[in-house]
Amino acid sequence: MWSSVIFAVGYATLSYAWLPIARDESVFRDRDLPQAPLQPQDDENATIRWLPSSGKIRGVNLGSQFVIEPWMANDEWNKMGCGGQESEFDCVSKLGQARADSVWATHWATWTTKDDITKMQSYGLNAIRIPVGYWLREDLVYSDSEHFPKGGLAYLEKICGWASDAGESTMLTEYLQVAPSPGFYVDYQYERAYKFLEWMTHIIHTSRSYRNVGMLEVVNEPQQGGNSNTDSMRRTYYPTAWKRIRAAEDALKISQNNRLHIQMMNTKWGSGDPHQYLTDDYFAAYDDHRYLKWSNDDGINSPGTGQTPAAYLRESCHDDRGGNWPTIVGEFSLSVADNLEWSNPAFAPPDAHVDWYKKWFAAQIKAYEKQDGWIFWSWKANWIGGRNDWRWSYE
């Protein structure tokens, strides 16, 4: 879907993804952060950004918070005056910059609130993944040809601060577009992405609000297949993004134990092995997106043999997401194939099959916890296809 920054039903306790309880807060004491951003000090005062040694990541995506997907936020999109528009770019062009900035400020302030973070914690979740666009760094936007809302960084800081206060680990995913287009795989676009990643790295390490941000994903859902674009991404973009993030951390004198995890889509995504050209993989991590509604693995959606509740359960019970390590299943849902989700009486209406969906959820997360955990897509949804479909909404 996009690229992001990263921060269960039936689970009573939290597992700490980057050990927020171990953080020494003295480095932040007596600082007026809005006026004077923190500079890192001695290593013993820095954040410990480790992946869990025993527990699993169990989290949710903040879909449509900073990268809006109209299909899953239809009422919100219309309320913003964006009905009929396909993207932020299109709606800002329609509304004009000043009006767009105003309606987006309202959206950013209300789509995810402190109460949402509290509710996530009460559910036993311990992580959030936040998709953000490169346009969050406003000087990277080509003002003569690109149109995006301004002012989002203050709201990202607020959400990360709430999550850190609650002890939630946070992951940030960079969305270079709603999905990287063929035009992304060129040097000058890579350079924009590197500058964004450097900027975000500096903010994470120098602002108390981001103290539980432990992972930065360098691109979300890139092109698939073996071609010149995916080869360029693996050969040039991944290694250079890695070096630029680490150089930014070196400039801040960040010790190895306090570096960010750098995340890439795993081999199962279909863009090749992201590790292929890396010369360093210390604190590397990998992202897997598992939407069985669009899969035909083991004939799960083949007419005649698949597309049954038993087929979906069987696939999840035997699902192996291993390969690149460590892998987090960063997106999945409870939605079944389009031709089943509202018309097949074995799956619809979903309120009549709650027991089955509970079993399928349990089967999925059991499979994903054979890796380092899971992040459901998404925390909330807002009228999908004219319906309030909880199969996409953990809330």
Side-chain angles (χ1 to χ4, degrees), residues 239-250:
T240 307
W242 185 285
K243 291 175 183 176
R244 298 279 283 264
I245 292 169
R246 293 297 184 236
E249 292 179 318
D250 289 342

Side-chain angles (χ1 to χ4, degrees), residues 164-231:
S164 294
D165 291 343
E168 300 276 317
S169 298
T170 307
M171 310 174 192
L172 295 178
T173 296
E174 184 192 0
Y175 279 67
L176 299 165
Q177 291 292 350
V178 171
S181 64
F184 167 67
Y185 303 89
V186 292
D187 288 345
Y188 79 92
Q189 294 286 25
Y190 287 171
E191 183 61 29
R192 282 211 291 181
Y194 304 147
K195 288 178 177 178
F196 176 87
L197 294 167
E198 290 170 327
W199 176 75
M200 202 73 253
T201 299
H202 188 275
I203 289 173
I204 290 167
H205 283 299
T206 58
S207 170
R208 182 177 185 273
S209 294
Y210 296 83
R211 63 194 181 275
N212 277 22
V213 176
M215 188 176 294
L216 186 57
E217 185 171 12
V218 298
V219 65
N220 182 74
E221 294 194 348
Q223 275 191 13
Q224 296 169 305
N227 54 62
S228 60
N229 287 341
T230 55
D231 182 69

